[in-house]
Amino acid sequence: MNALGLSLLVKMGCFCSREVLYVNNTRYVIREKLGEGGFSTIDLVENVATKRCYAVKRIICHSVDDQKTALLEIEYCKKLRHPNIIELIDSTFKGSADIVVNATSEVYMVLPFYRRGTLHDYLDVRSATKDYLSVSEILRIFSDVCGAVRYMHEFKPEALAHRDLKTANVCLTDGLSPVLMDLGSVAPAKVQVCGSQDAQRLQDLAAERCSMPYRAPELFNVKSFCVIDERTDIWSLGCVLYAMCYFKSPFDAVYERGDSVALAVMSGKIHFPEDTPFTQEMHDLVSFMLNENPAERPFITDVIEKVDDYVRILDNQV
């Protein structure tokens, strides 16, 4: 085939030219790329037999440790069964179990496809016209997110923390119900840090896995002897709630300017816009979670209680 013929096929979107993926015995064709991160890509795919669309997360592993991390994500997806946590449809592992020099393996995860995208996408569209969400809509979505987080924090036999809660990791269903995704950062909630090596290891892991504008202050500068617990997620939830009000995390502007997010986070100072449609009660709820001292930060049950109180106040005003 000459170059012109090949070009025409590409432009016409010839079915046979699309990349085909096999996950176990199911055949999928890739329709488009949905996203790409430091460790993975996400593609919109179509099941050839059923014509249903899914999202396939493809994780490229360059080491045995990479493999363990990817397979652990699959394990957590299978364990965590909650209406507001993403469901794993299927998964497979391709490549050598023992990676040799210059070799790679891949992990494929078939996930539901959410046409509305993420909470980040939803807020981004509304931010263009400063179309603020109503308080009732914010609290409804946020309450469901908190329910998923509580499920993780109370998980048996060991409590779990998400460690990378952010608006980009919350999908939205057609009915605008939130679904937590990206469980690659999930870990046991309580971490005992014993010495500088432990501290540096956890700090490096947080830098790799936790987004800066949503990262808890204790993960920027991990103390040599301390206990890190699930309240790292509470800080992130505070940033998510702030973003639901004002479209971005309270530290996104610092990050975009190239200034030190770590210093801004550890200062404990949260700026709320003066021109705001929200009452002091909403700001108090955000501040309740954004306590820079992890020992004084609330647990998820405390947050849910505050949210429920706020909802009751709104109901009484109607």
Side-chain angles (χ1 to χ4, degrees):
M1 182 182 292
N2 60 31
L4 178 59
L6 180 60
S7 174
L8 285 172
L9 278 177
V10 171
K11 288 179 181 178
M12 291 170 64
C14 176
F15 180 85
C16 60
S17 69
R18 292 181 180 175
E19 185 180 351
V20 177
L21 291 179
Y22 286 90
V23 179
N24 297 319
N25 296 319
T26 306
R27 184 184 180 205
Y28 300 91
V29 291
I30 296 178
R31 291 179 55 174
E32 64 178 276
K33 181 172 286 188
L34 295 175
E36 187 171 3
F39 305 95
S40 61
T41 59
I42 299 179
D43 295 310
L44 173 62
V45 303
E46 182 182 290
N47 182 311
V48 173
T50 67
K51 306 303 180 186
R52 291 188 63 181
C53 289
Y54 298 92
V56 167
K57 183 174 183 177
R58 187 184 335 198
I59 306 171
I60 300 175
C61 306
H62 298 282
S63 67
V64 173
D65 285 343
D66 288 349
Q67 284 181 353
K68 288 178 180 177
T69 299
L71 295 176
L72 192 59
E73 180 175 355
I74 290 175
E75 186 180 330
Y76 281 132
C77 281
K78 289 178 178 177
K79 284 181 178 179
L80 297 171
R81 311 291 294 187
H82 188 277
N84 299 109
I85 296 177
I86 200 160
E87 176 190 6
L88 180 67
I89 307 296
D90 200 359
S91 63
T92 192
F93 172 84
K94 298 182 180 182
S96 171
D98 297 311
I99 292 185
V100 296
V101 178
N102 296 326
T104 60
S105 62
E106 291 182 306
V107 170
Y108 293 84
M109 300 173 62
V110 183
L111 305 163
F113 170 58
Y114 295 98
R115 292 181 299 171
R116 281 188 173 273
T118 66
L119 179 57
H120 172 84
D121 300 328
Y122 183 58
L123 294 171
D124 201 38
V125 170
R126 299 188 68 139
S127 70
T129 55
K130 274 204 164 185
D131 183 15
Y132 295 105
L133 276 69
S134 68
V135 173
S136 59
E137 184 176 15
I138 288 172
L139 293 179
R140 179 187 62 79
I141 295 172
F142 187 70
S143 181
D144 284 348
V145 172
C146 287
V149 171
R150 177 169 61 182
Y151 172 79
M152 295 179 69
H153 287 188
E154 296 178 352
F155 195 74
K156 304 296 182 184
E158 186 175 34
L160 300 171
H162 187 284
R163 292 276 197 265
D164 195 24
L165 293 172
K166 57 182 179 180
T167 55
N169 280 343
V170 179
C171 291
L172 291 176
T173 67
D174 289 346
L176 291 179
S177 290
V179 179
L180 291 188
M181 69 166 187
D182 197 353
L183 306 185
S185 56
V186 171
K190 188 166 288 189
V191 181
Q192 184 81 47
V193 179
C194 301
S196 57
Q197 285 188 331
D198 276 1
Q200 190 61 53
R201 193 179 301 114
L202 181 57
Q203 192 168 308
D204 291 345
L205 184 63
E208 185 180 286
R209 297 283 174 180
C210 310
S211 302
M212 287 184 75
Y214 292 82
R215 192 186 310 163
E218 62 268 28
L219 294 176
F220 279 100
N221 185 21
V222 180
K223 296 177 180 178
S224 295
F225 294 92
C226 67
V227 175
I228 302 292
D229 64 22
E230 61 268 36
R231 284 175 287 183
T232 55
D233 283 349
I234 302 303
W235 176 277
S236 301
L237 280 175
C239 294
V240 167
L241 183 58
Y242 184 103
M244 292 179 70
C245 294
Y246 300 112
F247 311 115
K248 290 184 176 183
S249 155
F251 306 103
D252 267 320
V254 179
Y255 180 78
E256 289 163 3
R257 289 196 305 267
D259 293 340
S260 173
V261 176
L263 288 178
V265 167
M266 290 188 288
S267 75
K269 295 178 181 177
I270 309 300
H271 170 72
F272 293 100
E274 291 182 9
D275 181 17
T276 174
F278 301 105
T279 63
Q280 187 61 42
E281 283 86 357
M282 181 65 81
H283 291 175
D284 288 345
L285 182 57
V286 172
S287 299
F288 181 60
M289 291 176 274
L290 294 181
N291 190 323
E292 71 274 16
N293 184 345
E296 297 176 1
R297 200 177 303 146
F299 288 94
I300 189 62
T301 51
D302 303 314
V303 174
I304 290 173
E305 186 178 324
K306 285 274 189 185
V307 172
D308 289 345
D309 287 344
Y310 196 180
V311 170
R312 278 192 289 271
I313 290 171
L314 290 176
D315 288 344
N316 289 334
Q317 292 175 350
V318 175

